[in-house]
């Protein structure tokens, strides 16, 4: 009776006649290494013979430990003390045929999974199904962008060649002109450079450039006042980057920034050349260019100011659209992560300077426009500027907040959205001033202009113009006018012109000092008229003015006499409020969406402190004939119109929130919910109907949800139900420059007809299924990181079992073992870490002194901008449960990927077996030979060394190591296919072990594959555009050598030796560290996962080589070749 190898799990009857003829190994063939304290019988596949292995094991001393089943691995075999004597062992095996067969089949079958694994997989699939349905069907914002049209003409600036830039052969520069309006190729206005985004086209400049040309031609070209104020047309330039991929590759981003700085210098030189410029010679030559960047183009714009070739003060205004400023969209490339860190640190350091002279960005304004939930390419959370620039120099605004836009925009439609391009162009034209060398107004004036065009006007940072005006209208009223309302009385106008002549309604302004404050609000469906206009409604803020007769025309530009024939009159000096009007989307019974295009409502809101110099609010009905329309005006206490909901997330999740607004409520009510600040949750809002009795409802309820930072507002017209989702506190974002004590949370502002003597019930509940879709956008990179945690634990368990028993269990069986113990313990530990990190309040965290000491001009405190990089990227302990959820889902995904890999390998095996089919008698003869022959056909070591050397040389010179990694994955798939074919044909436990080992290595490599593919795509794209400059950061041979050597070693069929010494803990520690890093920093620094797996592969290579006789003479012998190799190759 023969003795089984510790690496074998079965007996093959065909081996027994051969085993009797094998002579024992000589003592000098037994060698020692760090892999085992016994004799190591693992040899290179070129000389490994199964008969020698069996004989060596029969002569080597065996301990009971080598044959004792590990309790948590084979405890279900029914016996713990396995006899060491071969005869007793064989007798026991014959007495337990069912258990022995079951054990062999379980070890061999890679498809078999436990009930626990099946349950976890089912839960994972259900979760993913719900997540996909949530993304596709729940909490979807409506699309309201109108298409824009243009007639483009692109003029290539061929003079910008290799004399100006080294990228002239790869990139190109164009000047845009609008056909039929502006076809002159000479520059004549203010230079604007459009920067396209990731894989974008230079033609994406068309909507903005066309609107600029058409607007100036139709409205400003013949306006002498505008031309006198320094307004000119905009010269739009755009760069053709050949659809470069910048989101995945940092070096490409730096190349574009370098090119564009040289392009800016060239563009400015055009205005100095009389043959290329048609500007007024009396104007100063431009010294700066306005930048507009889309997506990653916004990052390129900010990077330009950091580059060595940046010309000082050549950029002072930047507008970005859907640009991920706060962090890179993916972290698969080390260069992109480092570039982001360098650029963001530069901007933060600049605004931390105490004096403006020390701040190189003092005159720069940065506006970030986000598309909101419709943008499924870049999470709109990443567009936040709160951690980069103070509010005095820039802000983030969402398209749904911008007046008269009021709709979200996806990643591409934000470029051609007709409603959006209008405020962008109008704000830029208003901000320019060609009388200054910088071509724009001063920074403070520019910020006022951008706030007026992009913000709703209800934000705390919005500026009112009323206090900065001088009285321009003299209002004369009869003394016995009965149009003065009593204090606290509400004004309601139903229809205009019923009196047959203009009529004024005066609301006395209440005194200051009311607890909580008092505010004035007015809402109308009519636009507010300007002085001298022909509208229906005008609102004035007036003070008593004892004016003597004959002086009105000299002091006031407008006089309005409503005294009639009365001898006595009251004169009021008034300011017009039309410039402070806030447009709101119309809300009627037929309204469906805010962006429908109906004439907007007009809204005014002032705190009583802002009206301190006035005594009356005059609401003037200017119509002489009856006309439709309405207006409501009132003074109300802030305490009566505000509801503070002090409710936590847990209570909101279980019970929801219910608020009842009383029947005598003000025109505008606001519900503040500080606990609602996370962007990971979505909600359902229900607004109850109100009954107006006999009078018709002037308008239906209008709801606005808004955040103070970033500036995100959404409007719901004719609201009955609303999906509430927002971009508040998001995972992995750095903290803001300006420290906040507590999160302000979301506010719900409701306009309702106060004349309806009816209360309104409002209900808010968490939309659990709708929230799943929000997880996808914020944790997409976790799809790569967290599954690697599972794979690392599985490999760790496989090596532990292999080192203890000599059996390399299947991936599925090792995963089942991890699910029972190690994975739950690790997920519990990670959850506790997440809770502990979030339990420390921000004000209690240690601050950082030194260069990040935010000072006067930013008014901020020192902060750690990397504190949200770890684990879930959130400081909210409420979401600790996401770690076990991600762990379970990742385990199920790993099961699916494992079975997908098994399916592919079995399909390849089927075709391989079909193509190499032989007659039955030949197959039986081959089977006998294969059970005694090497695991794989002998391959010349010389050929393998040369092949590996050539591949490594190409990596160091021509191809990036990511290409070599793809090749290694393909070779590993072929190795697994050959290993499966041999294991099925021989039914040998040794070959089954090798197949399980090769398959697990393949699974590990497959999870690293997504990290390497993006850079490979960039390289292939550069080849397509004939750009052959190598990537300096992707030719590190050490980044791929362990992978290549390990894969090449496995192509020879070499099974990794067992490690029974203390060195086995190295394998344990490496894979455990890989698992921990994947969970903690895998999302933020995903590129590091490749290098960590590379180190693990280097260790596995060392374990393989520890069982080989390596020497200089041996390597020379391999390279020279010998006759023995040829004899081995010729063996049948």
């Amino acid at each position: 009776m023969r003795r089984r190898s510790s690496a074998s799990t079965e007996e093959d009857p065909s081996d027994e006649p051969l085993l009797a003829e094998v002579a024992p190994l000589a003592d000098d063939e037994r060698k020692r290494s760090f892999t085992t304290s016994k004799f190591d019988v693992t040899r290179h596949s070129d000389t490994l013979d199964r008969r020698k292995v069996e004989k060596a094991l029969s002569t080597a001393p065996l301990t009971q430990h080598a044959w004792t089943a590990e309790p948590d691995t084979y405890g279900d075999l029914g016996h713990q003390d396995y006899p060491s004597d071969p005869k007793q062992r064989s007798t026991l095996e014959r007495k337990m045929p069912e258990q022995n067969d079951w054990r062999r089949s379980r070890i061999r079958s890679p498809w078999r999974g436990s009930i626990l694994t099946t349950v976890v997989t089912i839960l994972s699939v259900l979760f993913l199904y719900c997540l996909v349905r949530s993304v596709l069907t729940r909490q979807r914002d409506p699309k309201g962008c109108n298409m824009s049209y243009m007639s483009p003409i692109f003029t290539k600036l061929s003079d910008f060649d290799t004399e100006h830039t080294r990228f002239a052969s790869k990139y190109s520069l164009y000047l845009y002109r609008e056909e039929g309006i502006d076809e002159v190729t000479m520059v004549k206005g203010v230079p604007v450079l459009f920067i396209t985004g990731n894989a974008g086209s230079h033609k994406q400049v068309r909507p903005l450039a066309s609107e600029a040309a058409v607007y100036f031609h139709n409205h400003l070209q013949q306006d002498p006042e505008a031309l006198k104020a320094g307004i000119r047309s905009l010269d739009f330039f755009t760069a053709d980057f050949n659809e470069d991929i910048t989101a995945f590759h940092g070096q490409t981003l730096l190349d574009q920034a370098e090119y564009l700085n040289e392009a800016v210098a060239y563009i400015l030189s055009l205005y100095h050349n009389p043959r290329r410029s048609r500007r007024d010679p009396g104007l100063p030559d431009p010294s700066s260019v306005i930048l507009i960047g889309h997506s990653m183009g916004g990052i390129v714009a900010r990077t330009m100011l950091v580059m060595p070739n940046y010309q000082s003060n050549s950029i002072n205004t930047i507008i970005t659209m859907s640009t991920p400023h706060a962090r890179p969209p993916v972290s698969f490339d080390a260069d992109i992560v480092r570039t982001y860190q360098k650029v963001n640190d530069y901007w933060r350091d600049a605004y931390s300077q105490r004096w403006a002279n020390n701040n190189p960005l003092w005159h720069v304004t940065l506006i970030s426009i986000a598309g909101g939930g419709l943008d499924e390419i870049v999470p709109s959370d990443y567009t936040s500027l709160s951690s980069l620039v103070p509010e005095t120099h820039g802000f983030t605004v969402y398209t749904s907040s911008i007046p008269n836009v009021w709709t979200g925009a996806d990643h591409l439609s934000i470029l051609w959205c007709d409603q959006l391009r209008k405020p962008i162009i109008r704000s830029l034209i208003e901000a320019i001033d060609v009388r200054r060398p910088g071509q724009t107004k001063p920074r403070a004036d520019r910020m006022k202009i951008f706030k007026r065009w992009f913000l709703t006007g209800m934000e705390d940072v919005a500026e009112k113009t009323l206090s900065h005006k001088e009285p321009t209208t003299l209002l004369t009223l009869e003394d016995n006018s009965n149009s003065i309302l009593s204090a606290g009385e509400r004004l309601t106008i139903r229809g205009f012109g019923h009196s047959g002549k203009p009529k004024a309604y005066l609301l006395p302004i209440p005194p200051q000092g009311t607890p909580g404050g008092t505010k004035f609000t007015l809402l109308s469906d009519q636009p507010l008229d300007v002085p001298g206009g022909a509208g229906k409604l005008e609102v004035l803020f007036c003070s008593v003015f004892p004016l003597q007769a004959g002086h009105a025309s000299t002091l006031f530009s407008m006089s309005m006499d409503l005294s009639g024939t009365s001898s006595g009159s009251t004169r009021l000096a008034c300011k017009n409020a039309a410039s402070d009007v806030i447009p709101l989307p119309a809300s009627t019974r037929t309204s469906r969406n805010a962006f429908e295009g109906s004439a907007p409502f007009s809204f005014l809101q002032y705190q009583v402190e802002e009206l301190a110099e006035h005594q009356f609010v005059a609401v003037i009905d200017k119509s002489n004939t009856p006309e439709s329309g309405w207006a409501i005006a009132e003074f109300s206490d802030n305490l009566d119109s505000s509801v503070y909901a002090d409710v936590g997330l847990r209570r909101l999740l279980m019970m929801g929130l219910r608020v009842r607004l009383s029947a005598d409520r003000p025109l505008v009510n606001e519900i503040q919910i500080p606990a609602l600040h996370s962007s990971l949750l979505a909600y359902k809002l229900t607004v109850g109907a109100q009954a107006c009795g006999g009078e018709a409802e002037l308008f239906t309820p209008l709801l606005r949800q808004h955040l103070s930072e970033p500036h995100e507002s959404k409007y719901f017209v004719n609201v009955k139900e609303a999906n509430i989702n927002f971009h508040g506190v998001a995972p992995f974002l750095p903290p803001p420059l300006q420290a906040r004590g507590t999160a302000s949370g979301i506010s719900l502002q409701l306009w309702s007809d106060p004349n309806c003597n009816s209360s309104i019930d409002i209900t808010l509940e968490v939309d659990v299924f709708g929230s799943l879709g929000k997880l996808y956008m914020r944790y997409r990179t976790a799809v790569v990181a967290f599954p690697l945690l599972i794979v690392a634990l599985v490999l760790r368990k496989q090596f532990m079992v292999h080192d203890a028993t000599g059996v390399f269990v299947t991936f599925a069986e090792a995963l089942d073992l991890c699910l029972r113990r190690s994975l739950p313990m690790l997920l519990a530990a990670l959850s506790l870490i997440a809770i502990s990190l979030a339990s420390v309040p921000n004000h209690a965290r240690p601050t950082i002194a030194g260069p990040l000491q935010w000072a006067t001009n930013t008014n901020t405190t020192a902060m750690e901008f990397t504190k949200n990089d770890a684990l879930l990227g959130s400081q909210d302990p409420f979401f600790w449960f996401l770690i076990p959820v991600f762990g379970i889902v990742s385990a199920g995904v790993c099961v699916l990927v494992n079975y997908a890999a098994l399916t592919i390998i079995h399909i390849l095996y089927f075709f391989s077996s079909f193509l190499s089919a032989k007659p039955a008698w030949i197959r039986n003869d081959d089977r006998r030979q294969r059970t005694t022959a090497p695991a794989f056909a002998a391959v010349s070591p010389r050929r393998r060394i040369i092949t590996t050397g050539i591949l490594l040389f190409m990596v160091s010179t021509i191809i990036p190591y990511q290409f070599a990694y793809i090749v290694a994955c393909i070779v590993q798939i072929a190795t697994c296919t050959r290993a499966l074919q041999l294991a099925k044909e021989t039914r040998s436990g040794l070959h089954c072990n090798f197949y399980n080992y090769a398959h697990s290595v393949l699974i590990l490599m497959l999870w690293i594959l997504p990290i390497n593919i993006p850079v490979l795509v960039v390289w292939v794209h550069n080849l397509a555009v004939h750009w052959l400059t190598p990537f300096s950061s992707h030719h590190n041979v050490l980044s791929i050598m362990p992978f290549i050597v390990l894969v090449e070693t496995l192509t020879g069929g070499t099974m990794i030796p067992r490690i029974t010494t203390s060195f086995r803990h190295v394998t344990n520690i490496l894979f455990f560290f890989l698992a921990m890093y994947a969970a903690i920093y895998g999302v933020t620094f995903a590129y590091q996962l490749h290098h960590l797996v590379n180190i693990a592969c280097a260790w596995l290579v060392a374990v393989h080589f520890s069982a080989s006789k390596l020497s200089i003479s041996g390597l020379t012998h391999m390279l020279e070749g010998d006759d023995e190799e040829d004899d081995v190759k010729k063996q049948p």
Side-chain angles (χ1 to χ4, degrees), residues 1008-1030:
I1008 302 299
L1009 189 60
I1011 300 176
N1012 292 279
I1013 286 181
V1015 174
L1016 181 63
V1017 172
V1018 174
W1019 178 69
V1020 173
H1021 174 269
N1022 282 352
L1023 291 182
V1025 298
H1026 309 290
W1027 184 255
L1028 304 180
T1029 303

Side-chain angles (χ1 to χ4, degrees), residues 621-878:
D621 176 4
K622 301 175 64 175
S623 297
N624 294 316
T625 59
E627 298 184 57
S628 62
W630 54 265
I632 302 175
E634 67 177 9
F635 282 93
S636 60
D637 291 340
N638 291 330
L639 295 179
D640 296 335
S641 61
S642 181
V643 177
Y644 185 86
D646 188 10
V647 57
L649 280 179
R650 293 173 180 82
R651 180 181 173 187
L652 189 64
L653 186 63
M654 294 183 296
M655 304 177 58
L657 175 65
R658 289 169 177 80
V659 176
R660 168 166 291 187
L661 302 179
S662 63
D664 58 347
R665 63 186 176 276
L667 170 65
V668 187
N669 293 270
E670 185 169 9
I671 304 174
Q672 300 177 7
I673 316 175
L676 270 61
H677 55 78
S678 174
S679 61
L680 296 179
L681 294 178
Y683 307 87
K684 277 285 188 182
L685 180 76
T686 303
V687 179
Q690 61 175 350
C692 280
E695 295 184 347
E697 192 176 29
L698 295 178
F699 66 97
T700 55
L702 170 65
L703 178 71
R704 170 187 174 236
Q705 69 160 70
H706 66 95
L707 289 170
S708 59
E709 179 58 42
H711 299 299
E712 181 184 19
S713 296
K714 289 183 182 179
Y715 294 93
F716 302 91
V717 296
N718 192 20
V719 60
K720 298 180 179 65
E721 292 183 352
N723 292 325
I724 304 298
N725 57 79
F726 49 89
H727 299 80
V729 180
F732 304 109
L733 291 187
L737 286 177
Q738 207 161 19
R740 304 171 191 158
T742 58
S744 58
I746 194 173
S747 295
L748 303 175
Q749 201 169 6
L750 182 69
W751 288 263
S752 60
D753 190 347
N755 299 295
C756 296
N757 191 19
S758 173
S759 61
I760 295 181
D761 293 327
I762 299 177
T763 303
L764 183 69
E765 296 178 344
V766 177
D767 185 359
V768 177
F769 289 102
S771 301
L772 293 179
K774 309 307 172 186
L775 293 178
Y776 163 75
M777 287 301 298
R778 278 75 180 186
Y779 290 104
R780 290 183 296 181
T781 313
V783 175
V784 176
F786 261 83
L788 193 59
L789 159 71
I790 307 298
V791 174
L793 290 180
V794 169
L795 278 164
R796 173 177 171 268
K797 177 61 69 175
Q798 286 179 302
F799 280 108
M800 290 175 63
V801 174
H802 177 249
D803 292 338
T805 67
V807 177
F808 205 95
V809 297
T810 65
F811 187 90
E813 186 173 358
L815 178 57
D816 176 62
L817 297 174
C818 292
L819 289 174
R820 297 178 184 276
R821 183 176 179 183
S822 56
L823 182 59
M825 293 179 61
L826 183 58
L827 294 179
L830 292 174
S831 300
L832 292 176
I833 294 176
I835 295 174
S836 63
L837 290 177
S839 62
V840 181
N842 289 337
H843 65 271
R845 296 179 183 274
T847 58
I848 300 178
L852 294 181
Q853 182 90 27
W854 304 104
T856 54
N857 63 325
T858 58
N859 196 24
T860 56
T861 58
M863 287 210 172
E864 176 57 63
F865 289 96
T866 61
K867 69 177 184 179
N868 293 333
D869 288 348
L871 284 176
L872 296 173
S874 174
Q875 299 297 315
D876 193 340
F878 176 81

Side-chain angles (χ1 to χ4, degrees), residues 45-49 929-930 932-938 982 991 1128 1131:
S45 61
D46 295 343
T47 57
L48 178 62
D49 188 288
Q929 293 182 9
R930 289 198 179 189
T932 60
F936 281 58
L982 191 60
H991 298 149
V1128 173
Q1131 287 180 357

Side-chain angles (χ1 to χ4, degrees), residues 111 145 283-284 425 504 524 536 571 644 789 808 881 928 996 1010:
W111 297 92
C145 280
L283 296 176
I425 295 302
S524 176
K536 303 178 185 178
R571 294 177 176 86
Y644 185 86
L789 159 71
F808 205 95
F881 63 89
R928 295 191 194 95
N996 294 338

Side-chain angles (χ1 to χ4, degrees), residues 1002-1049:
L1002 174 63
I1003 296 296
L1004 178 64
M1005 295 178 67
L1006 290 179
W1007 279 115
I1008 302 299
L1009 189 60
I1011 300 176
N1012 292 279
I1013 286 181
V1015 174
L1016 181 63
V1017 172
V1018 174
W1019 178 69
V1020 173
H1021 174 269
N1022 282 352
L1023 291 182
V1025 298
H1026 309 290
W1027 184 255
L1028 304 180
T1029 303
F1031 304 148
S1032 59
S1033 58
H1034 301 300
H1035 292 277
N1036 187 353
V1037 175
L1038 297 179
S1039 297
I1040 193 62
M1041 180 183 293
F1043 283 108
I1044 294 177
V1045 176
L1046 178 62
V1047 170
E1048 183 63 27
T1049 302

Side-chain angles (χ1 to χ4, degrees), residues 61 146 335 428 456 587 817 1031:
N146 298 328
D335 285 345
L428 281 178
T456 64
S587 180
L817 297 174
F1031 304 148

Side-chain angles (χ1 to χ4, degrees), residues 53 85 254 300 485 500 629 701 784 1038 1061 1117:
V53 173
D85 184 77
L254 295 175
V300 175
L485 280 67
V784 176
L1038 297 179
T1061 65
H1117 189 64

